[in-house]
């Protein structure tokens, strides 16, 4: 529920062309009229009920707010949702909206304890960040800061209004993609459907719902070992998931995906998933197992001696670094590692400032001149 807000006034922020496109995308039929300052849409439900809405196309009309809100109420009724829910989407039309609903006996009428609210908002953000990192730079455990493209993606997501009856956090994720050079690019409501379906945004919202579904199904089946064996889910994702107040007794946590109606492709199989506090322990155990699997790897601390990659930054997707470090006998040794684009850019910056770096992985040809280490984790320390 949106409290202390005049909903009719919010309609002035709605793009009428976006509303018209929404109606076309959701099966409403436009009724032709000679009046250019309005658009009329009709909808006939399977039971024969007939509905009609009029969308004012010019905000200068004296009854613009009243007409727009009346149309919103009618469409919301036909679709079986609240006017507030539809208004949230129309204010953010080119988005997927991920809703996280906390249901507990002490959460009533949309009220929640201060510390619980902070945990939900912080871990909802971490969940988005971990999923984007898992998609772009798959690792068992992500350390260090996110690269600029992921940071920009997260920075453009928003928290919507909560709703009454339980505490619902709405994470509004605008459609955005990364270009060939992995630079962030915002998409608009008039972008092609295939472009939006293949965007980073849809991949993230899809992966979150698919991950939670996989986790629930795997725990229900009792095959807990699969949780830490999945290549799609990092310890960071499990950590953020368990941090959403699942550790508290008699807690239910529901994930709801409100997909953009204009982008029907690349949606997860389910759009509502419920986890209870009973799932906390196996999820927490999976987090620990993934972190332990990384901690058993070799950790190298040193400075970068050499950088090797494609000289054209636009074509650079990976890079090779040579690190100088001290072995157990305090003697200098060198080792090489191949990094993905994001980590290689961090390496360039670290080399320029003379920072120490940390790399974790398995060593091949240890002690020899051609020693190398796989990169499970890379971080700049200074």
């Amino acid at each position: 529920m949106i409290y202390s807000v005049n909903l009719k006034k919010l309609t002035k922020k709605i793009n009428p062309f976006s509303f018209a496109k929404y109606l076309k995308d959701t099966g409403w039929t436009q009724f032709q009229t000679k009046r250019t300052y309005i658009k009329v849409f009709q909808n006939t439900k399977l039971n024969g009920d007939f509905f009609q809405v009029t969308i004012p196309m010019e905000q200068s009309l004296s009854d613009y707010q009243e007409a727009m809100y009346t149309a919103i109420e009618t469409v919301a009724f036909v679709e079986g949702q609240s006017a507030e829910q539809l208004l949230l989407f129309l204010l953010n039309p080119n988005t997927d909206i991920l809703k996280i609903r906390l249901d507990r006996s002490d959460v009533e009428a949309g009220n929640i304890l201060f510390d619980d609210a902070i945990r939900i908002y912080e871990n909802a953000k971490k969940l988005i960040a971990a999923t984007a990192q898992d998609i772009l730079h798959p690792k068992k455990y992500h350390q260090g800061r996110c690269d600029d493209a992921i940071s920009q993606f997260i920075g453009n997501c928003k928290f919507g209004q909560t709703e009454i009856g339980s505490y619902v956090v709405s994470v509004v994720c605008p459609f955005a993609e990364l270009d060939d050079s992995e630079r962030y690019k915002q998409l608009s409501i008039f972008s092609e459907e295939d472009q939006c379906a293949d965007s980073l945004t849809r991949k993230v919202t899809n992966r979150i719902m698919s991950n939670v579904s996989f986790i629930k199904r795997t725990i229900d089946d009792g095959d807990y070992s699969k949780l830490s064996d999945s290549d799609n889910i990092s310890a960071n994702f499990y950590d953020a998931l368990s941090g959403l107040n699942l550790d508290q007794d008699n807690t239910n946590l529901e994930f709801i995906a409100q997909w953009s109606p204009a982008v029907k492709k690349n949606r997860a199989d389910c759009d509502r998933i419920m986890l209870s506090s009973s799932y906390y322990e196996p999820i927490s155990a999976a987090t620990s197992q993934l972190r332990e699997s990384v901690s058993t790897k070799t950790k190298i601390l040193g400075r970068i001696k050499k950088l090797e990659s494609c000289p054209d930054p636009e074509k650079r997707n990976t890079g090779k670094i040579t690190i100088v470090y001290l072995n157990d006998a305090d003697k200098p040794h060198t080792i090489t590692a191949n990094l993905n684009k994001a980590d290689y850019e961090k390496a360039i910056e670290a080399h320029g400032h003379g920072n120490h770096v940390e790399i974790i992985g398995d060593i091949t040809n240890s002690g020899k001149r051609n020693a190398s280490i796989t990169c499970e984790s890379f971080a700049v320390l200074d």
Side-chain angles (χ1 to χ4, degrees):
M1 173 68 72
I2 303 176
Y3 296 102
S4 303
V5 174
N6 188 319
L7 300 179
K8 290 182 181 179
K9 284 187 177 180
L10 285 178
T11 60
K12 293 202 73 172
K13 298 183 179 181
I14 295 174
N15 184 334
F17 292 100
S18 298
F19 195 0
K21 187 175 187 301
Y22 173 89
L23 293 174
K24 289 181 180 179
D25 291 336
T26 53
W28 290 72
T29 303
Q30 185 173 351
F31 177 80
Q32 296 301 321
T33 175
K34 293 182 179 179
R35 291 177 290 178
T36 59
Y37 54 87
I38 63 171
K39 289 184 183 292
V40 179
F41 290 86
Q42 299 175 341
N43 185 302
T44 302
K45 300 187 75 173
L46 293 177
N47 62 4
D49 290 341
F50 174 80
F51 298 89
Q52 181 171 290
V53 293
T54 300
I55 310 298
M57 303 305 293
E58 298 177 8
Q59 292 190 348
S60 59
L61 295 172
S62 59
D63 64 342
Y64 179 86
Q65 293 183 24
E66 186 72 35
M68 183 65 81
Y69 191 67
T70 298
I72 289 173
E73 287 186 311
T74 302
V75 173
F77 175 78
V78 173
E79 295 182 345
Q81 61 176 319
S82 69
E84 291 91 338
Q85 289 174 322
L86 179 58
L87 185 62
L88 173 63
F89 181 80
L90 292 176
L91 289 169
N92 305 278
N94 193 45
T95 62
D96 279 343
I97 300 176
L98 176 68
K99 297 182 178 182
I100 303 173
R101 184 176 70 86
L102 179 66
D103 187 13
R104 204 171 56 217
S105 58
D106 61 346
V107 178
E108 298 177 356
N111 296 318
I112 188 172
L113 293 174
F114 191 70
D115 289 341
D116 288 344
I118 291 174
R119 288 187 67 193
I120 287 182
Y121 284 102
E122 286 182 345
N123 284 284
K125 183 177 179 180
K126 289 178 181 178
L127 197 72
I128 298 288
T131 307
Q133 288 181 298
D134 289 350
I135 290 169
L136 296 176
H137 316 299
K139 291 179 183 177
K140 294 291 186 183
Y141 182 41
H142 302 283
Q143 294 177 291
R145 65 178 180 85
C146 299
D147 62 52
D148 291 341
I150 293 179
S151 296
Q152 195 169 358
F153 170 71
I154 297 168
N156 279 282
C157 293
K158 309 172 189 175
F159 286 117
Q161 299 288 346
T162 187
E163 299 173 17
I164 200 166
S166 53
Y167 198 80
V168 182
V169 172
S170 297
V171 185
V172 180
C173 304
F175 280 113
E177 65 179 4
L178 302 185
D179 62 18
D180 293 338
S181 300
E182 291 196 3
R183 289 176 298 199
Y184 180 88
K185 178 184 176 183
Q186 194 80 39
L187 301 177
S188 79
I189 190 173
F190 300 105
S191 298
E192 294 292 331
E193 179 183 357
D194 286 347
Q195 188 178 15
C196 293
D198 196 44
S199 67
L200 176 61
T201 302
R202 177 52 61 87
K203 290 177 181 177
V204 167
T205 52
N206 188 342
R207 177 71 70 86
I208 289 174
M209 297 303 293
S210 297
N211 281 357
V212 177
S213 178
F214 167 80
I215 291 167
K216 176 178 173 59
R217 185 173 62 253
T218 301
I219 294 175
D220 288 345
D221 292 342
D223 198 354
Y224 305 128
S225 62
K226 286 185 177 179
L227 294 176
S228 55
D229 288 340
S230 173
D231 293 331
N232 291 332
I233 309 177
S234 63
N236 307 71
F237 185 93
Y238 283 117
D239 193 39
L241 182 61
S242 61
L244 290 167
N245 295 280
L246 267 183
D247 57 331
Q248 300 183 20
D249 293 337
N250 301 316
T251 295
N252 289 316
L253 194 67
E254 185 175 23
F255 291 82
I256 306 164
Q258 185 176 344
W259 311 107
S260 168
V263 186
K264 300 177 178 61
K265 300 178 181 179
N266 199 23
R267 295 178 177 179
D269 293 335
C270 51
D271 52 19
R272 299 183 77 99
I273 309 164
M274 179 78 78
L275 297 179
S276 69
S277 51
S278 301
Y279 290 81
Y280 172 75
E281 288 191 8
I283 290 174
S284 181
T287 308
S288 300
Q289 289 168 7
L290 283 167
R291 283 180 171 172
E292 287 173 5
S293 71
V294 173
S295 66
T296 58
K297 306 287 184 179
T298 302
K299 180 187 294 185
I300 297 292
L301 302 176
R303 282 194 172 102
I304 297 173
K305 176 183 178 180
K306 187 178 181 181
L307 297 162
E308 300 174 75
S309 186
C310 175
D312 185 354
E314 300 293 328
K315 299 179 180 179
R316 184 182 296 154
N317 294 315
T318 60
K320 181 180 179 181
I321 64 172
T322 301
I323 298 175
V324 178
Y325 70 101
L326 297 179
N327 65 8
D328 294 337
D330 285 337
K331 292 185 179 181
H333 270 253
T334 60
I335 195 167
T336 63
N338 290 311
L339 305 180
N340 61 40
K341 182 176 181 178
D343 285 341
Y344 187 72
E345 289 177 351
K346 295 178 188 176
I348 294 174
E349 185 176 350
H351 181 60
H353 292 91
N355 297 139
H356 284 85
V357 298
E358 174 189 276
I359 188 165
I360 299 174
D362 292 319
I363 291 182
T364 303
N365 297 325
S366 178
K368 299 181 181 179
R369 288 187 176 182
N370 61 342
S372 63
I373 183 171
T374 60
C375 181
E376 294 285 343
S377 173
F378 179 83
V380 180
L381 301 182
D382 297 335

